[in-house]
Amino acid sequence: MAVITIDTAQYEQQLEEKQKRISAQFARFNAPTLEVYDSEKRHYRQRCEFRVWHDGEDLYHIMFDQQSKAKIRVDEFGPGAPLVNEIMQVMMNKLRHNELLRRKLFQIDYLSTLSGEILVSLLYHKPLDESWQAEMSALRDELQKTYKIDFIGRARKQKVVFGNDYVTEKLTVDGKEFIYQQVENSFTQPNAKVNEKMLAWAKSISRELSNDLLELYCGNGNFSIALAEHFDRVLATEISKSSVHSAQFNIAANKVDNLDIIRMSSEEFTDAMQGKRQFSRLNGIDLKSYNCQTILVDPPRAGMDELTCQLVSNYDNIIYISCNPDTLERDLETLSKTHNIARIAIFDQFPYTHHVESGVFLTRK
């Protein structure tokens, strides 16, 4: 059996290196002592993707070495959540002996949850005909007796869903349970336990704030739903249609009654706030009625564009969640002209890698 192992003895050292690197990078902003939130050392990834290698009558998951590009067989994946590892082996055992399901299969994606649900997506270089669909349906029926599992088959211009195309995650933050629909191929935080720590950190900040909250890049409502109880009203924006749909599901599931989410990019919202453009998507929403003294942003790796950064600087309190320290540093060049860093943290979403998730809380000077 090919096992991707992790040298857990190196964990504290790699986390300390991240701490030193981020502390040095942001020292010029007179940031306070860096808060550090660690990860589980093994089995922390809820989302994993593997190519499938066919070797005669055998087939197995593979990954590619980033440097040498050599393929690596993976039967057990150390970073993967326990349920992912279990279902990986179940899938190979079932597919090896099923010519219809294994033929032209080139990739399998796994999306699991702390709540015990898992969604498996199989990607093919062939049309998914009625025979394949009948066989896939039979496999789901068999595995549903043991697991909370659903399947998606994908091929060129085809998506066939067996059950749901999402999982329902349950996160516990400060003793309270939050429910989140997570849709296949939509962004979700891959390290659920660290996500709980990120939400707890943001809630510890928002607990001391008041009035209304504006959130840009809200995704499926990950932060806005957890923080809503600390504000009178919350207005959030997100450009992805599937993420907005999930956010609406999550608002209802968590019985949040003070949160509105609109499908707009941050650039569009900036234009709307400045009165440059009118949007039908804002019908029924009076932007001037909000008293937002706090803004939360969780932008993609590219960070914020210049106009959005200027918009953000208009708010008294800024909570900035970042997956890229370099673009965060760039944006702080602008924000530090009007704000001081009150708190700064790193969250080890991606152990044993160079990547780091950061959080900064800024208050007006």
Side-chain angles (χ1 to χ4, degrees), residues 32-37 172-174 193-209 223 226-227 230 295-297 318-322 328 341-347 357-362:
T33 301
L34 184 68
E35 302 168 53
V36 181
Y37 294 86
T172 302
V173 183
D174 296 339
K193 286 291 187 182
V194 172
N195 190 24
E196 290 179 333
K197 294 180 180 183
M198 291 170 62
L199 294 175
W201 180 82
K203 282 176 70 66
S204 72
I205 293 170
S206 64
R207 191 175 292 113
E208 305 302 320
L209 305 176
F223 284 97
L227 271 56
H230 295 151
I295 186 168
L296 188 152
V297 294
I318 304 168
I319 303 173
Y320 191 141
I321 306 296
S322 170
L328 172 61
I341 297 179
R343 291 177 65 179
I344 183 170
I346 59 171
F347 310 92
E357 196 93 358
S358 308
V360 178
F361 175 48
L362 300 107

Side-chain angles (χ1 to χ4, degrees), residues 154-213:
R154 285 189 174 273
R156 191 165 181 257
K157 297 183 179 180
Q158 264 190 300
K159 175 185 176 182
V160 187
V161 181
F162 301 87
N164 296 316
D165 66 350
Y166 63 85
V167 290
T168 303
E169 178 62 288
K170 296 178 181 178
L171 302 178
T172 302
V173 183
D174 296 339
K176 182 177 179 179
E177 184 178 85
F178 293 92
I179 299 170
Y180 294 99
Q181 181 190 81
Q182 299 179 342
V183 178
E184 182 240 15
N185 272 358
S186 294
F187 175 77
T188 55
Q189 297 287 356
N191 191 326
K193 286 291 187 182
V194 172
N195 190 24
E196 290 179 333
K197 294 180 180 183
M198 291 170 62
L199 294 175
W201 180 82
K203 282 176 70 66
S204 72
I205 293 170
S206 64
R207 191 175 292 113
E208 305 302 320
L209 305 176
S210 59
N211 298 301
D212 300 334
L213 169 69

Side-chain angles (χ1 to χ4, degrees), residues 13-27 34 36 346:
Q13 179 183 342
Q14 68 91 29
L15 184 57
E16 184 179 349
E17 289 172 354
K18 289 180 180 180
Q19 179 178 354
K20 290 179 179 178
R21 171 164 57 90
I22 298 301
S23 294
Q25 184 171 0
F26 292 93
L34 184 68
V36 181
I346 59 171

